[in-house]
Amino acid sequence: MMTGTHAILYSTDADADRAFLRDVLGFPHVDAGGGWLIFQLPPAELGVHPAEGGAPSSELYLMCDDLDATLAVLAAKGVHTVGERSEARWGVRAWIPLPSGATLGLYEPRHPVARDLLGP
């Protein structure tokens, strides 16, 4: 029934953020017309967590097998983390800045992952 996931980043500088995703992160893409790039993302999974008294919300993280190695590659490209790295029993995460000033989460899970259930 479902064929994929389409995530949207709302940006104050969409052209710069698209260039970052294309040139720095190297995501393959198609041009939907007029420079409107749609990026292929790595396989995805979705977790549902309790809101714990707060308002319902959503978050986007790009998963990696080795967060430190990923951050080192990005640092060599001039990309450094924003804020504190967060470590918990279920994984470790950090955030990188987009050119617009928004942040993008990176996440190394330490739990079984569902992203490969359908195979490569």
Side-chain angles (χ1 to χ4, degrees):
M1 179 167 48
M2 305 300 167
T3 60
T5 300
H6 183 90
I8 299 172
L9 296 177
Y10 289 95
S11 173
T12 57
D13 192 344
D15 289 336
D17 286 349
R18 289 177 189 138
F20 180 86
L21 294 170
R22 179 191 64 216
D23 302 335
V24 177
L25 297 185
F27 288 156
H29 59 279
V30 296
D31 189 326
W36 196 278
L37 305 182
I38 305 294
F39 296 93
Q40 179 186 33
L41 294 176
E45 63 182 28
L46 177 65
V48 180
H49 296 239
E52 297 183 7
S57 64
S58 59
E59 298 179 6
L60 174 66
Y61 293 92
L62 299 177
M63 295 171 68
C64 54
D65 292 329
D66 184 334
L67 182 63
D68 291 329
T70 300
L71 293 175
V73 168
L74 290 171
K77 296 180 178 186
V79 180
H80 300 281
T81 59
V82 173
E84 295 294 318
R85 172 185 166 120
S86 174
E87 202 156 331
R89 65 174 177 72
W90 42 262
V92 59
R93 55 193 175 158
W95 294 264
I96 58 171
L98 295 175
S100 66
T103 57
L104 184 59
L106 302 179
Y107 173 56
E108 176 188 330
R110 294 185 178 150
H111 57 76
V113 295
R115 67 179 181 222
D116 298 326
L117 290 177
L118 295 178

